[in-house]
């Protein structure tokens, strides 16, 4: 046991390590039993995770049952709806802090409790870099709320209802009334947003007990899964089954197939790339297009479809989806149980074929994320065709450029703005360095005057991200970002933008000579955030671009779990 390096000796240092930890523990707690940390992101300021203390108690029960010693390890928690300027600014910091705490402490394995968008990615990045036995218990989605008799989906319906207010189709009073219906129970957003997606990605990667992801937070079966996960982590320690054994290139490709099949959030692209980077796995944007873009969308959930996470669980859950796609999965990729993911598909069944479509009758063919390149995004940009309007996937239109979200908010509803439904809205300064933190602002609200005319979608392009609950023909993650001197910094209002999703291209229709003349001025065309101290400085100086996962350059790879020096 790794913990025996702390507790196993008869010297003064071992005495100190044991004595301070006793507090009621029996003598044999320090005699070769696995010590398991529970990286717990419960926080009152992360409402989607606030129930994780109860989940943690059930994980603890399972660890005790299996002969381990459970240890609650409160971890940096990131609440998507609360944090300014954006929770993504601290994903890498949360991952770094958790990695360091796992390594610094006398533990043999770790259970990762996350839910809200950034928490599962950060925990997986941390666990990958330490590479001690680890598994995820996803906190699960909230139950379906209703407003005026209809189901209401977190996020997606906020965007829809607020557009309806702007289009004068809904009163402001009714809009505000819907607020208290939005969050029905404990748990994270109940659409196929980023949290639901990343819980599913953890399972597709093999990092949960298969069948756990998507269990509603209020469902007692989540607590059962938590207890079973507690038992399992102890045997994983005995068998030395580590994240690097489970998260292989094959399991990342499985995750990409699953991402397309469920119509998952585009945010999964940056998170999966960052996790793979921690493991030294060669995964690129191209893999998302090559492996995922031809996969049909089978899950009829908001924002791409109609239902919510509770329905997906009722209809058979992720395993039932994966069973339909089994021929596309790597049968060698194992899970935390040691058995292949595909071995869990035999029993899986679809109980509602409107929620989970059969392969022959998908919601949409070829629905995975498409990766675009061209002179506007030489390193790549992504679009989710499943959330876009078919008639805009091939489009030519005049750019209207906004230098920041503040600039956008100031001008978008100006009646004098020269905009029509064929215009292409471009928002820059929202990448990892520029904002900083790559916020979810890419799904820009449409100009009021067009909404009033009934226009509901336009081509939008940004170097930032989009909420996983959002929809629209939005090109995201354009890299390099404007603040890093990418071509997005030099595009001008009036330039013609050519988007061709089928051809996977995104270009400004200007000559190479004209573009070359503009590019040298890129870094000086705009003023971006430049803090001079603290995490933000470290982040801006070292964050990489979206095409490689927006991790900090000094955090890629891992440092293992060994600590050579004593503390006293
Ligand atoms: Fe936490 Fe959506 S705000 S998951």
């Amino acid at each position: 046991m790794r913990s025996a390096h702390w507790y196993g000796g008869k010297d003064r240092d071992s005495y100190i390590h044991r004595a301070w930890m006793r507090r009621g523990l029996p003598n044999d707690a320090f005699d070769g039993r696995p010590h398991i940390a529970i990286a717990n992101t419960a926080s009152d300021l992360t409402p989607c995770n606030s129930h994780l203390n109860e989940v943690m108690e059930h994980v603890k029960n399972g660890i005790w049952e299996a002969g381990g010693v459970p240890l609650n390890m409160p971890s940096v928690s990131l609440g998507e709806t609360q944090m300014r300027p954006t929770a993504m600014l601290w994903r890498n910091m949360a991952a770094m802090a958790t990695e360091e705490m796992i390594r610094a402490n006398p533990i043999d394995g770790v259970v990762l409790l996350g839910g809200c968008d950034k928490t599962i990615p950060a925990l997986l990045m941390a666990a990958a870099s330490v590479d001690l036995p680890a598994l995820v218990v996803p906190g699960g989605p909230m139950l379906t709320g209703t407003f005026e008799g209809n189901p209401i989906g977190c996020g997606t319906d906020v965007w829809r209802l607020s557009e309806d207010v702007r289009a004068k189709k809904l009163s402001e009073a009714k809009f505000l009334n819907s607020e208290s219906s939005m969050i029905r129970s404990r748990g994270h957003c109940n659409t196929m947003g980023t949290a639901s997606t990343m819980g599913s990605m953890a399972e597709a990667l093999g990092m949960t007990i298969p069948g756990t992801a998507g269990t509603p937070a209020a469902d007692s079966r989540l607590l059962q899964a938590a207890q079973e996960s507690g038992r399992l982590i102890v045997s994983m320690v005995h068998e030395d089954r580590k994240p690097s054994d489970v998260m292989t290139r094959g399991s990342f490709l499985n995750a990409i197939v699953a991402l397309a099949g469920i119509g998952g959030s585009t945010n999964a692209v940056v998170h999966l790339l960052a996790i793979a980077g921690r493991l030294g796995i060669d995964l690129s944007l191209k893999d998302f297009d090559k492996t995922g873009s031809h996969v049909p969308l089978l899950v009829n959930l908001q924002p791409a479809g109609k239902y919510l996470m509770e329905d997906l669980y009722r209809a058979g859950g992720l395993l039932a989806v994966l069973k339909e796609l089994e021929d596309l999965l790597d049968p060698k990729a194992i899970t935390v149980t040691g058995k292949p993911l595909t071995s869990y598909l035999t029993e899986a069944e679809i109980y509602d074929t409107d929620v989970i479509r059969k392969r022959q009758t998908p919601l949409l063919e070829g629905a995975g994320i498409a990766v675009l390149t061209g002179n506007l995004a030489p390193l790549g940009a992504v679009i989710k065709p499943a959330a876009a309007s078919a008639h805009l996937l091939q489009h030519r239109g005049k750019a209207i450029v906004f230098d920041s979200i503040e600039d956008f908010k100031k001008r978008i509803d100006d009646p004098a703005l020269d905009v029509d439904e064929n215009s292409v809205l471009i928002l820059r300064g929202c990448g990892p360095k520029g904002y900083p933190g790559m916020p979810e602002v890419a799904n820009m609200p449409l100009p009021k005057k067009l909404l009033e005319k009934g226009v509901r979608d336009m081509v939008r392009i940004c170097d930032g991200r989009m909420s996983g609950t959002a929809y629209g023909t939005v090109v995201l993650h354009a890299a390099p970002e404007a603040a890093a001197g990418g071509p997005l910094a030099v595009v001008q209002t009036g330039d013609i933008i050519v988007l061709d999703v089928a051809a996977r291209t995104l270009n400004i229709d200007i000559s190479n000579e004209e573009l070359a003349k503009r590019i040298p001025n890129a870094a000086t065309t705009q003023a971006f955030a430049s803090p001079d101290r603290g995490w933000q400085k470290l982040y801006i100086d070292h964050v990489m671009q979206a095409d490689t996962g927006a991790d900090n350059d000094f955090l890629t790879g891992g440092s293992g779990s060994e600590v050579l020096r004593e503390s006293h």
Side-chain angles (χ1 to χ4, degrees), residues 46 48-49 79-81 115-117 154 187-189 194-196 469:
T46 307
C48 307
N49 294 18
E80 194 63 33
T81 51
C116 198
D117 293 15
C154 300
H188 59 65
C189 290
T194 305
S196 302
T469 62

Side-chain angles (χ1 to χ4, degrees), residues 21 27 34 153 156 160 170 203 212-213 222 299 303 336 345 350 389 403 443 465 557 565:
M21 282 300 284
N27 283 342
T156 307
R160 186 177 59 79
L170 183 77
E203 180 154 317
T212 307
L222 178 67
V299 172
V336 284
L345 304 181
I350 300 176
S389 301
D403 282 336
N443 53 315
R465 296 175 303 120
R565 308 192 80 171

Side-chain angles (χ1 to χ4, degrees), residues 40-80:
N40 177 9
T41 53
S43 162
D44 289 342
L45 281 163
T46 307
C48 307
N49 294 18
S50 58
H51 64 296
L52 290 179
N53 282 328
E54 187 185 359
V55 176
M56 183 267 297
E57 291 300 335
H58 287 258
V59 174
K60 272 187 169 179
N61 291 345
I63 294 169
W64 283 127
E65 279 182 325
V69 178
L71 300 147
N72 182 27
M73 188 177 87
S75 302
V76 176
S77 192
L78 307 172
E80 194 63 33

